[in-house]
Amino acid sequence: MIYVALLRGINVGGNNKINMKQLKETFEQAGMLDVVTYINSGNIIFADHQERLDANAEIAQILEQAIAADFGLQIKVMVRNLDEVRTVIQALPEEWTNDAAAKSDVMFLWDEVNDVSVLDKLPIKPEIGTLLYVPGAILYSVSKELVTQSGMNKLIGSKVYKYMTVRNVNTTRQIYKLMQAAAEK
């Protein structure tokens, strides 16, 4: 099975610095196969062929322990398989971009808040931009000129923020392409 590990809070503002080449080696030493990293923000695509009861949770725990051992950091790791990322991609409107005109993000959710009711817990104003729930994620897009009015700047201080890891739509689409390529090997 092909997976992506989304690491939360690494290489942000000079904190929790992790070298991607070393991280790739950590994943390989933890038993993951065909490991590929994508950009410096903690996106790692890999294969795992072991039979696991709750694969996402078990792999996340293995990787969190490996990162703690190798880097001395307590980093939350979210693991999603190819089918779960495909569900997000299929729900993501094709016209959404992350560029000079719009800010469009995918907020991947940990199981504790993975329910449509999470939308009610966000400080984001749903009337400004477009806010969608899909199992495993919240999709949000707003024009750049309305970002400051949207409530998005209050997301980091919200209680629900610690139960998500955010990637822009461009990054999310590229992760999916890399996962598809790994699946075709």
Side-chain angles (χ1 to χ4, degrees):
M1 176 65 75
I2 303 301
Y3 297 91
V4 63
L6 303 170
L7 279 59
R8 188 174 191 284
I10 71 160
N11 299 334
V12 179
N15 295 318
N16 296 330
K17 288 185 153 193
I18 294 181
N19 175 287
M20 292 299 106
K21 183 178 179 189
Q22 291 172 323
L23 185 62
K24 180 180 190 275
E25 291 171 6
T26 295
F27 272 57
E28 291 168 345
Q29 290 170 1
M32 305 307 133
L33 307 169
D34 303 321
V35 179
V36 175
T37 63
Y38 176 66
I39 64 177
N40 210 27
S41 59
N43 310 294
I44 305 92
I45 293 87
F46 60 94
D48 180 66
H49 302 299
Q50 292 190 31
E51 290 292 322
R52 300 181 190 273
L53 191 60
D54 183 0
N56 289 4
E58 289 179 36
I59 294 170
Q61 185 177 25
I62 290 166
L63 296 175
E64 286 173 0
Q65 290 170 353
I67 291 167
D70 288 2
F71 298 96
L73 297 171
Q74 298 300 314
I75 302 295
K76 283 191 75 164
V77 176
M78 178 180 294
V79 175
R80 293 291 179 257
N81 67 41
L82 179 58
D83 292 336
E84 291 165 328
V85 175
R86 182 180 296 117
T87 296
V88 171
I89 291 295
Q90 288 173 341
L92 194 59
E94 285 184 36
E95 67 275 9
W96 282 18
T97 59
N98 197 64
D99 55 21
K103 178 170 177 45
S104 302
D105 291 318
V106 177
M107 300 169 219
F108 289 94
L109 303 171
W110 263 273
D111 291 342
E112 293 90 337
V113 297
N114 188 8
D115 185 85
V116 71
S117 66
V118 72
L119 295 177
D120 298 330
K121 299 172 183 151
L122 297 172
I124 298 170
K125 297 175 185 169
E127 67 276 9
I128 299 178
T130 304
L131 186 64
L132 306 169
Y133 170 81
V134 59
I138 298 166
L139 312 177
Y140 184 63
S141 185
V142 63
S143 69
K144 284 281 178 131
E145 64 232 16
L146 296 176
V147 168
T148 57
Q149 299 168 36
S150 70
M152 187 70 168
N153 57 345
K154 295 178 182 174
L155 181 62
I156 291 175
S158 69
K159 289 181 181 178
V160 72
Y161 183 68
K162 66 182 175 183
Y163 297 106
M164 64 176 63
T165 186
V166 181
R167 302 297 187 272
N168 73 48
V169 295
N170 303 341
T171 297
T172 303
R173 288 180 177 127
Q174 187 59 37
I175 288 168
Y176 180 63
K177 285 179 187 174
L178 290 169
M179 292 178 81
Q180 285 181 301
E184 292 170 4
K185 284 185 176 181

